[in-house]
Amino acid sequence: MKFLFWKFPSANYYITMGWISALREMGHDTQIWDSGIPAFDAFDISEPDVFVGTTYDLDRSTVKCILERPSMKVVLKSNNWGPIDEKIDLDKFPIGTSTEDERKNVLELIEKAGNRVVLFNWYHPNRMEETMGFWGDAGVPTIGLQPAADTLKYKEDCPKEELKCDLGFVGGYWGYKGQNITKYLIPLCEPVGKYNIKIFGGSKWSVPQYMGYISEKTENSLFSSAKICPNISEPHANEFGFEVNERVFKVSACKAFCISDSIDSLTEDIFGDAMPTASCGESFRDLVDYYLKHPDERRQKAEKCYNIVIDGHTYFHRMESLLRKLEEL
């Protein structure tokens, strides 16, 4: 099949590139639509069987391109619309919840296009009712497509001497996520030298352990060279438990050892007790100290997490789920 992907921004770009890599390996033709190209040109050039975009980037020209192709199926990333919305203080947790205009546009599109549109979000299927259930109540099909591991890029590697460290972390620092970074990771950076820490990312950190940008290839090597790869989430993941980021899957695909902040979906839906989690900065430090002294336990848990990911949480698994869903439309 031929897929046309809207070029997703930020972290969503890397997730959808994992989709694209898997689909290409599976023999599908995939193209990326850069926002600088007019919709009519993008669709005329690619003539896709499947368009992958978002509900909140839909405009009149994109809708017209969809309606002109009655056999094309449409996969749209949407904002949340479910029972849990009522519990979320958006001033404190600025996550994406659907607007009235977004809902109106989607329902109008489905009314005109027929039953060939499916909405998705980055959650485990077990979390879709609470986060996306109102879309389903409105008659819109949905699918949970949690981040996963791009096993074409992330795999077990030989440790590199120059990357060996106690803790290796790759990620950006900004205000909202910084709340948790300040709670879990920054305290381990002081005093300098107590732990051998290497931090990489596209945005600057205010700690001496920050070492700048890192390529995906070197990121893979870092995970395989670090004794512990911390996972830090955004605050709503801890509070409401429905969102697990991509890092835990990438780290596990490298057969590296991860300690994460506490997320319900991570333990209940994916790793069980295979991946240690901490609910506060103090317990996070305690886990770091414990596992630095117990390398055999690190290896055992890393092996468990690796097997869990390889058996069910790669982007090949996610795309197989999506293709099955498309067959139902």
Side-chain angles (χ1 to χ4, degrees):
M1 284 196 293
K2 296 171 68 175
F3 285 77
L4 176 62
F5 277 78
W6 171 256
K7 188 174 181 179
F8 285 67
S10 306
N12 294 346
Y13 169 78
Y14 295 100
I15 297 172
T16 51
M17 286 305 297
W19 289 24
I20 289 168
S21 295
L23 287 168
R24 287 175 176 170
E25 191 72 10
M26 294 163 75
H28 299 284
D29 181 0
T30 63
Q31 298 183 40
I32 301 173
W33 170 21
D34 192 288
S35 57
I37 300 174
F40 295 104
D41 291 342
F43 280 84
D44 287 345
I45 292 169
S46 62
E47 287 299 344
D49 301 304
V50 181
F51 169 60
V52 182
T54 76
T55 56
Y56 38 86
D57 288 306
L58 277 179
D59 56 21
R60 292 177 64 185
S61 57
T62 305
V63 169
K64 189 169 183 180
C65 289
I66 291 170
L67 296 179
E68 287 177 348
R69 294 164 175 81
S71 63
M72 182 182 72
K73 296 181 180 181
V74 182
V75 181
L76 300 176
K77 162 70 176 66
S78 77
N79 284 312
N80 291 13
W81 189 26
I84 203 167
D85 293 357
E86 299 175 3
K87 302 178 182 179
I88 300 174
D89 180 349
L90 294 179
D91 291 328
K92 186 177 180 182
F93 304 102
I95 65 174
T97 57
S98 67
T99 65
E100 186 175 343
D101 283 344
E102 180 184 348
R103 298 193 290 267
K104 178 183 176 184
N105 290 340
V106 170
L107 295 176
E108 286 181 353
L109 172 63
I110 290 177
E111 183 180 357
K112 295 175 181 177
N115 189 26
R116 57 189 176 97
V117 180
V118 60
L119 306 186
F120 73 92
N121 219 323
W122 312 119
Y123 312 138
H124 190 279
N126 292 347
R127 306 289 160 168
M128 289 294 285
E129 179 58 34
E130 62 181 345
T131 58
M132 300 280 284
F134 292 160
W135 285 113
D137 293 344
V140 187
T142 65
I143 182 172
L145 293 169
Q146 202 168 40
D150 184 346
T151 50
L152 299 174
K153 292 181 180 177
Y154 296 95
K155 56 195 71 177
E156 187 178 10
D157 193 12
C158 294
K160 304 291 191 295
E161 193 62 38
E162 66 274 17
L163 292 173
K164 287 182 178 179
C165 55
D166 294 329
L167 293 97
F169 184 83
V170 182
Y173 185 101
W174 61 91
Y176 181 51
K177 187 175 180 180
Q179 296 175 39
N180 273 354
I181 290 174
T182 300
K183 182 190 301 184
Y184 292 100
L185 192 54
I186 296 299
L188 301 178
C189 295
E190 302 169 352
V192 175
K194 180 175 181 181
Y195 302 99
N196 180 356
I197 300 176
K198 298 186 189 300
I199 298 172
F200 297 88
S203 58
K204 291 184 178 180
W205 291 50
S206 60
V207 293
Q209 291 87 350
Y210 174 67
M211 305 183 74
Y213 174 78
I214 191 172
S215 68
E216 287 178 332
K217 183 176 180 180
T218 309
E219 181 183 12
N220 189 139
S221 298
L222 174 69
F223 294 154
S224 296
S225 303
K227 294 177 182 176
I228 298 172
C229 298
N231 180 57
I232 312 295
S233 309
E234 294 182 335
H236 64 270
N238 313 128
E239 183 73 18
F240 302 105
F242 56 74
E243 186 170 65
V244 179
N245 61 26
E246 189 186 38
R247 185 182 297 103
V248 294
F249 301 104
K250 295 194 296 187
V251 168
S252 297
C254 297
K255 208 175 282 189
F257 175 70
C258 182
I259 297 175
S260 179
D261 51 0
S262 180
I263 310 161
D264 288 346
S265 186
L266 184 144
T267 51
E268 295 172 8
D269 302 325
I270 308 165
F271 292 109
D273 62 358
M275 183 175 291
T277 61
S279 58
C280 66
E282 183 179 354
S283 62
F284 195 87
R285 182 188 290 270
D286 289 343
L287 286 172
V288 167
D289 289 339
Y290 177 83
Y291 283 105
L292 285 177
K293 296 174 183 175
H294 294 83
D296 289 342
E297 291 189 43
R298 291 202 310 266
R299 283 190 289 271
Q300 290 168 9
K301 287 190 172 291
E303 181 83 28
K304 268 186 156 181
C305 290
Y306 171 81
N307 289 332
I308 289 168
V309 166
I310 295 304
D311 289 345
H313 297 282
T314 73
Y315 282 121
F316 290 104
H317 294 104
R318 300 293 183 261
M319 291 303 93
E320 288 167 357
S321 295
L322 177 60
L323 292 171
R324 287 195 296 270
K325 188 70 175 181
L326 292 175
E327 288 179 357
E328 297 173 4
L329 298 181

